[in-house]
Amino acid sequence: MTRRKIAIIGLGKIAQDQHLPVVDKNPAFELVAVTSQRGITHRGLPTFKTPAEMYKAIPDIEAVAICTPPDVRHAIAIEALDAGKDVLLEKPTAATLAEAADIEAHARKRGRVIFATWHSQYNPAVEEAKSILAGAGVKSLKISWREDVRKWHPGQDWVWEPGGFGVFDPGINALSIFVRILPVTPFIKSAELTYPANRQTPIGVQIVFSSTDPDAPALAADFDWREQGDEKWHIEIESKGGHKLRLFRGGASLSVDGHVTVEQPSEEYERIYERFAELLQSRQSDFDITPLRLVGDAMMIGKRLTTEAFDW
């Protein structure tokens, strides 16, 4: 297999924790460079402050993984596509729906592969739940996605700025699982978004969904960044036949009627890069932005509430 030359743009926490080690061990890719405005390096590889500098110095880079905050992804993605690179985008794809649509259209125009990743979908437990619900249907579903922002985004003020998504940054992971396993199309019926008095993005969100299912299953979500102790990343489901499903550990594990049926180490990013290699080989794109649409709809029709100020 010919190893494809790839570069990573943006070396924040997720790139350092997941993308770098996963790409390093994937035989389909050869990591040849990184870009970091802070000058972070990796294994002595060439490090550049901007993608333009990188493309000029190493023109034979074939693909890039964009792991920057979402508010700058559109410009970086368009620049990469114009430079003839195939593109993998860390979630949540872009800061706005219009930007996401433009990236997709530009990739099509340039004949490049574009891959919008949703890492939480890449767990065997998620696929097993999808298979069960495809036949059994859903009577009720409740998402609980609660974590401590100080642990997962320590000192990262960009998450609180416009375009930073706030608690939707982890919440969109739950939504990506939700749309993957649900056998019908969901919509935002109502939402309550709670903002710290001194911040521009929500710290807590409550959502009620409707759907195309004529039986009107009860569908809801609870996202919160104020959780203390262990994370609570789980989805409780009751099928129309009365079976109880529970996706937990961020979608890595599944129990059915109290019995664990799938429990594996989380290898989401390994599977993302396996999928990217397949897309590059077939010259196909994978650009589902349904989770981003749900976030946009919740922000559009949601009721705004205010809580105490948040400081690190």
Side-chain angles (χ1 to χ4, degrees):
M1 176 186 296
T2 300
R3 300 180 72 194
R4 299 182 186 274
K5 294 183 178 181
I6 191 170
I8 293 179
I9 299 173
L11 294 188
K13 179 176 172 57
I14 196 66
Q16 294 179 64
D17 290 352
Q18 297 289 352
H19 290 264
L20 291 175
V22 167
V23 173
D24 279 343
K25 67 184 181 182
N26 189 313
F29 297 100
E30 177 188 0
L31 183 61
V32 297
V34 297
T35 71
S36 169
Q37 291 185 343
R38 295 177 292 166
I40 298 173
T41 61
H42 178 67
R43 290 197 294 103
L45 292 172
T47 302
F48 301 89
K49 287 295 183 68
T50 69
E53 295 171 352
M54 180 176 68
Y55 301 147
K56 183 176 180 180
I58 312 176
D60 59 349
I61 290 171
E62 300 170 75
V64 296
I66 301 176
C67 305
T68 63
D71 63 330
V72 296
R73 286 197 192 136
H74 174 263
I76 293 172
I78 297 300
E79 180 185 30
L81 295 167
D82 284 343
K85 315 305 178 187
D86 298 313
V87 174
L88 178 152
L89 285 160
E90 176 58 76
K91 62 85 184 170
T93 313
T96 71
L97 292 169
E99 287 182 350
D102 189 60
I103 292 170
E104 182 180 27
H106 207 73
R108 192 182 311 113
K109 177 181 177 181
R110 294 296 186 186
R112 309 313 307 177
V113 173
I114 190 80
F115 180 26
T117 65
W118 302 103
H119 61 83
S120 294
Q121 292 182 345
Y122 286 82
N123 281 301
V126 173
E127 287 304 301
E128 179 65 15
K130 177 184 177 181
S131 178
I132 293 171
L133 296 177
V138 176
K139 179 179 180 182
S140 67
L141 181 151
K142 175 65 183 293
I143 300 169
S144 295
W145 224 255
R146 303 172 64 90
E147 64 184 46
D148 184 354
V149 66
R150 292 181 174 88
K151 174 180 178 179
W152 291 97
H153 287 283
Q156 295 179 11
D157 279 322
W158 67 265
V159 301
W160 298 113
E161 295 300 321
F165 282 71
V167 76
F168 278 117
D169 180 79
I172 204 169
N173 297 332
L175 294 176
S176 74
I177 296 174
F178 176 57
V179 300
R180 181 72 177 171
I181 65 175
L182 198 68
V184 293
T185 301
F187 309 101
I188 304 293
K189 182 178 181 180
S190 64
E192 292 187 348
L193 293 77
T194 299
Y195 290 73
N198 60 337
R199 301 291 181 171
Q200 297 296 316
T201 57
I203 197 169
V205 173
Q206 300 281 329
I207 298 174
V208 175
F209 303 92
S210 59
S211 75
T212 55
D213 188 334
D215 293 330
L219 309 171
D222 169 27
F223 306 148
D224 207 293
W225 252 351
R226 295 163 291 191
E227 188 69 24
Q228 299 297 302
D230 293 339
E231 298 76 33
K232 293 180 173 61
W233 297 328
H234 52 252
I235 302 176
E236 307 277 353
I237 310 158
E238 182 178 356
S239 75
K240 290 183 178 179
H243 294 290
K244 303 292 181 64
L245 285 71
R246 183 173 186 262
L247 276 163
F248 57 104
R249 294 179 55 238
S253 301
L254 173 69
S255 67
V256 179
D257 295 330
H259 302 287
V260 175
T261 57
V262 181
E263 188 169 30
Q264 296 186 11
S266 179
E267 295 182 339
E268 300 166 345
Y269 282 87
E270 286 84 351
R271 294 188 177 95
I272 280 175
Y273 277 94
E274 290 169 7
R275 174 63 173 157
F276 193 36
E278 293 171 356
L279 294 171
L280 294 174
Q281 183 66 31
S282 64
R283 304 306 301 166
Q284 299 292 315
S285 291
D286 184 346
F287 203 76
D288 177 25
I289 61 169
T290 304
L292 184 62
R293 288 196 186 100
L294 289 177
V295 171
D297 287 352
M299 299 286 280
M300 190 181 303
I301 70 169
K303 178 181 179 181
R304 181 185 178 110
L305 306 176
T306 303
T307 189
E308 62 186 4
F310 174 88
D311 294 298
W312 298 109

